[in-house]
Amino acid sequence: MNINILNDLSYGMYIISTKYMNKNVGCFVNTVSQITSENPIISVSINKSNYTNEALNIGNKFAISILSEKTDSQLIGKFGFFSSKDTDKFDGIEYSEICGIPVVTNNICGYLICEVINIIDCETHNIVLARVIDGEKLTDNIPMTYKYYHEVIKGKVPKTAPTYKKEKVEVKNMGKYVCKICGYVYDNSKEEIKFEDLPDSWVCPLCGVPKNMFEKVEE
């Protein structure tokens, strides 16, 4: 089977958020689908190892923030490559409390408030079925697709994502450095400033970790 045919399936970009043990938690997902039109029901695929999945198994409400092409890529990195278990992902992030749920509002298209009605076990992932109980369109920004995330932002896929496939980093010289958190590649041959000359204050443009979290790729 040619597994790459799955790349032709279309996806959006979303942040799932909820309250868990009096703490704001959330994660990045790319698989949200509308199932019904009347009393709308949606589905979300989420990795079982994800801390937010644990929260959804106990809590009954969550929010979906629909990301736009104007959403800061570092917000995606923060929610996609770190765990709410040991990181306050909402620190320094624009969000509002709606229906008692934290909703990320940074340049999003809009949001949905959902109530869990069923959880289906799908081996490595759970499919969460939820009824939409509230929602609002906030801007006319263009929704961010997974294609845009990959081809324009040059974003990577978290290992917990349903669409994750291990990527090989092709190296033709000694001028590439890879982020150990999100896999972002800094290629000296494509940048105006060599990695070695970047200031110590420089951070990964995708997940925001410091320069010392990059490692040089050897041939």
Side-chain angles (χ1 to χ4, degrees):
M1 179 176 73
N2 183 357
I3 195 70
N4 291 324
I5 188 60
L6 294 174
N7 292 337
D8 288 344
L9 295 174
S10 60
Y11 302 92
M13 299 285 287
Y14 314 93
I15 286 177
I16 302 295
S17 54
T18 189
K19 285 275 190 184
Y20 184 46
M21 300 177 68
N22 296 318
K23 180 181 179 181
N24 294 336
V25 301
C27 68
F28 153 78
V29 300
N30 69 323
T31 45
V32 174
S33 299
Q34 182 177 348
I35 305 299
T36 67
S37 56
E38 294 186 14
N39 296 318
I41 293 173
I42 56 93
S43 68
V44 180
S45 176
I46 187 166
N47 194 292
K48 288 182 180 179
S49 66
N50 198 302
Y51 190 66
T52 305
N53 174 68
E54 183 179 327
L56 294 183
N57 273 279
I58 296 177
N60 62 355
K61 284 184 184 179
F62 64 93
I64 301 173
S65 296
I66 303 170
L67 307 188
S68 79
E69 291 183 358
K70 293 185 178 181
T71 302
D72 188 344
S73 62
Q74 288 197 21
L75 183 146
I76 301 170
K78 191 170 189 179
F79 278 84
F81 298 98
F82 296 88
S83 173
S84 291
K85 189 172 185 177
D86 49 33
T87 302
D88 182 2
K89 297 184 181 181
F90 290 80
D91 182 33
I93 298 296
E94 293 179 23
Y95 74 95
S96 299
E97 289 269 349
I98 302 173
C99 297
I101 302 297
V103 180
V104 176
T105 57
N106 176 257
N107 284 322
I108 67 171
C109 297
Y111 67 87
L112 302 171
I113 304 295
C114 306
E115 192 168 49
V116 176
I117 57 177
N118 196 13
I119 296 179
I120 303 171
D121 188 318
C122 291
E123 298 182 352
T124 59
H125 289 67
N126 281 333
I127 300 296
V128 179
L129 298 178
R131 191 177 307 281
V132 178
I133 60 175
D134 197 4
E136 195 66 53
K137 183 176 176 64
L138 300 182
T139 71
D140 291 323
N141 294 344
I142 300 173
M144 185 185 295
T145 63
Y146 217 44
K147 181 180 178 68
Y148 182 93
Y149 173 66
H150 277 293
E151 296 184 0
V152 179
I153 296 180
K154 306 298 182 184
K156 302 297 180 180
V157 183
K159 290 183 178 180
T160 55
T163 54
Y164 174 77
K165 290 186 286 294
K166 189 173 182 179
E167 300 178 19
K168 291 184 179 179
V169 178
E170 296 183 4
V171 181
K172 296 182 180 179
N173 54 58
M174 299 295 286
K176 289 187 179 180
Y177 295 78
V178 180
C179 177
K180 292 188 285 187
I181 299 299
C182 70
Y184 179 86
V185 179
Y186 191 98
D187 187 345
N188 279 346
S189 67
K190 298 178 180 179
E191 304 289 345
E192 294 183 2
I193 303 175
K194 288 185 178 181
F195 185 85
E196 300 90 328
D197 297 330
L198 291 171
D200 291 338
S201 58
W202 183 87
V203 297
C204 175
L206 182 56
C207 70
V209 298
K211 182 181 176 182
N212 61 10
M213 291 300 290
F214 278 69
E215 60 183 359
K216 196 172 187 179
V217 179
E218 303 293 342
E219 290 193 67

